[in-house]
Amino acid sequence: MRSLIYFYKIIKLIYYQIDQAFSWIFTWLKFTLNGIKFNDFVSKGRPIVRVSISGKCYIGKNLELNSGKYYNMIGRQQQCYLIVGPNATLIIGDNVGISCSSIVCNKNITIGNNVKIGGNTVIYDSDFHSLDKEKRNSIPEDLSGIVTKAVTIGNDAFIGSHTTILKGVKIGENAIIGAGSVVSKDIPKNQIWAGNPAKFIRNI
Ligand SMILES: CC(C)(COP(=O)(O)OP(=O)(O)OC[C@H]1O[C@@H](n2cnc3c(N)ncnc32)[C@H](O)[C@@H]1OP(=O)(O)O)[C@@H](O)C(=O)NCCC(=O)NCCS
């Protein structure tokens, strides 16, 4: 029985090594074919990447992406999504780690250096739909006047898993956001905020 367990562990180890090599090649192709300016990275699993022809995406050094159910097993896994719309700009700094999260940039999202983004987080800089029901319900949908506001996440911030960061939010340097928070207002630097809506917990 023991040898069967060891055999299983070794096969699993080999499988993950091969899978990670394929993940890297897949991600490299996705980044390159989407015109992203990037540096060295680690990518476990296969992210979904879509950068509009007029969109821009810059990624700093040492990005680490975990995508899908076998990487970063915190539950509710999805792939990482890096989505950049027309004329929008997504900037990701150095040493950033993103697990199973979705970043949808329709205007401007800037993520500083050393930012860690926990699994199942979503970051939006727009409402996606008009707040006017006539426009929202028209066929085809009238997408004019949709509110978009830039999102900024400062250096060294730590975003707990399952967090939702909404348009216009600035998260200060070294701030920590608790798991499952909804952030709709600015968070000062060096503070912990959590909850829905996120509220001040304590200074760091
Ligand atoms: C925010 C966090 C760092 C705070 O940790 P802490 O300083 O040890 O805080 P405590 O557990 O002492 O809680 C302090 C207060 O904040 C509240 N709180 C903590 N985390 C919270 C959360 N995620 N949502 C709402 N309230 C939260 C507690 O209920 C407590 O409230 P009280 O003072 O009224 O009793 C931690 O709770 C957290 O959410 N960690 C993120 C983990 C994570 O997602 N990792 C990434 C995995 S990929």
Side-chain angles (χ1 to χ4, degrees), residues 9-129:
K9 296 272 182 210
I10 289 165
I11 293 294
K12 221 168 91 170
L13 196 72
I14 294 168
Y15 170 79
Y16 279 114
Q17 293 299 320
I18 294 170
D19 189 58
Q20 282 173 31
F22 276 114
S23 293
W24 191 90
I25 295 166
F26 178 89
T27 308
W28 185 91
L29 276 171
K30 284 284 203 167
F31 283 178
T32 303
L33 295 174
N34 277 279
I36 294 177
K37 302 255 182 301
F38 61 96
N39 291 273
D40 45 332
F41 66 88
V42 174
S43 178
K44 297 173 185 167
R46 291 153 180 73
I48 290 175
V49 180
R50 193 173 294 169
V51 179
S52 161
I53 225 78
S54 60
K56 293 187 180 65
C57 181
Y58 305 97
I59 297 176
K61 293 177 226 155
N62 303 324
L63 173 72
E64 184 162 349
L65 282 183
N66 294 315
S67 295
K69 59 185 173 182
Y70 296 113
Y71 297 104
N72 191 353
M73 298 187 181
I74 51 115
R76 303 188 205 140
Q77 278 91 344
Q78 58 175 11
Q79 285 153 294
C80 279
Y81 291 75
L82 301 180
I83 311 296
V84 183
N87 304 311
T89 304
L90 169 62
I91 299 173
I92 297 175
D94 296 336
N95 305 316
V96 171
I98 307 174
S99 278
C100 308
S101 290
S102 182
I103 300 173
V104 186
C105 175
N106 282 320
K107 182 186 178 80
N108 205 304
I109 297 179
T110 304
I111 295 169
N113 299 328
N114 310 312
V115 171
K116 305 301 172 217
I117 299 177
N120 201 37
T121 288
V122 298
I123 304 174
Y124 306 144
D125 65 356
S126 105
D127 289 328
F128 297 95
H129 301 280

Side-chain angles (χ1 to χ4, degrees), residues 72 74 118-119 158-161 176-181 192-195 201-202:
N72 191 353
I74 51 115
F158 169 31
I159 314 297
S161 49
I176 296 176
I177 310 299
S181 299
I192 300 181
W193 285 53
I201 302 285
R202 65 178 173 86

